[in-house]
Amino acid sequence: MTDKKNTPSKNDKTSSDSQSELDTLRQIVFGAAQDNIEKRINTLEQQTLSSFSKMEQLLEKNVKTIKAQMEDGFNNLEDKLALADQSQDKRATEINNYADQISSALEMAEANSKQENDELHERLNQEIKNLSSTFTEQLEQALAKLNQVSSELNSSKTDRKTLAKLLASVASDLETGED
């Protein structure tokens, strides 16, 4: 077998010649326009790259600015929260102190009230004893006088008018004895 594959054929040579002629014709007919289009494409590419670069720089600058503003805002919020916490702690301490003072005052008032109640009860008991003994004495006196009058009546057998006068005098004695 002969090596036909490795040797270029005449057809291949003709086709490459016609290709180069076609390229030459294209260059002649479209060359100026193609060069102009390629220049415009290159210019547009440079402008686009330049614009992207400027936009990227502007975006980085804006991101840095926003980041700095956010950090400042967060720092301000942290400071305000710290002040609010301090104020809240101070108020809580004041309230606790006030509650302790009120509790102490209530305990003292309760102790004083208990002491006053005990003293009042003691005085009432003493007054009740005094009144009881006074009424007992007056009752005994009234009974003694009634017995005396009764015995006088039995012995003298006085009339009803005398008895009424006698009872009236006993009643008036009882009234004056209470005062």
Side-chain angles (χ1 to χ4, degrees):
M1 263 201 204
T2 55
D3 208 16
K4 288 186 176 179
K5 290 183 183 178
N6 286 344
T7 53
S9 68
K10 223 177 186 185
N11 266 346
D12 287 339
K13 199 173 186 183
T14 324
S15 115
S16 76
D17 285 340
S18 64
Q19 184 67 34
S20 73
E21 284 178 17
L22 189 58
D23 285 341
T24 306
L25 281 175
R26 275 189 198 147
Q27 183 62 30
I28 291 171
V29 173
F30 300 112
Q34 185 178 1
D35 287 343
N36 190 15
I37 289 173
E38 285 178 3
K39 284 180 186 176
R40 287 181 73 195
I41 288 173
N42 286 336
T43 304
L44 284 174
E45 184 179 1
Q46 291 303 321
Q47 287 176 348
T48 303
L49 289 174
S50 174
S51 293
F52 278 144
S53 175
K54 287 178 185 176
M55 290 297 281
E56 188 176 329
Q57 290 172 356
L58 183 62
L59 186 62
E60 280 183 35
K61 181 181 174 186
N62 287 343
V63 166
K64 285 180 183 177
T65 303
I66 290 171
K67 206 176 204 181
Q69 289 174 348
M70 285 176 61
E71 287 178 10
D72 289 343
F74 288 143
N75 289 337
N76 287 337
L77 284 175
E78 286 177 359
D79 292 344
K80 287 180 182 179
L81 282 174
L83 287 173
D85 284 346
Q86 288 175 353
S87 175
Q88 188 70 22
D89 290 343
K90 183 179 177 183
R91 287 184 182 156
T93 303
E94 289 173 359
I95 288 172
N96 286 337
N97 290 339
Y98 186 65
D100 290 343
Q101 290 173 356
I102 289 174
S103 177
S104 297
L106 283 174
E107 288 175 4
M108 288 175 58
E110 185 178 335
N112 288 339
S113 174
K114 187 175 188 305
Q115 182 180 358
E116 288 173 1
N117 283 340
D118 291 344
E119 289 173 2
L120 185 61
H121 281 273
E122 185 64 34
R123 282 182 55 201
L124 283 174
N125 288 338
Q126 187 63 36
E127 287 294 322
I128 289 171
K129 285 179 186 176
N130 289 341
L131 286 174
S132 294
S133 66
T134 304
F135 285 134
T136 304
E137 281 178 28
Q138 287 178 356
L139 180 63
E140 287 174 0
Q141 287 175 2
L143 286 176
K145 198 164 192 175
L146 189 58
N147 284 336
Q148 177 189 355
V149 168
S150 175
S151 65
E152 284 178 9
L153 283 177
N154 283 337
S155 65
S156 67
K157 291 200 179 188
T158 56
D159 63 357
R160 289 184 178 174
K161 286 184 181 179
T162 310
L163 181 62
K165 286 181 186 177
L166 188 61
L167 287 175
S169 70
V170 170
S172 68
D173 287 344
L174 284 175
E175 283 180 9
T176 57
E178 287 179 11
D179 293 334

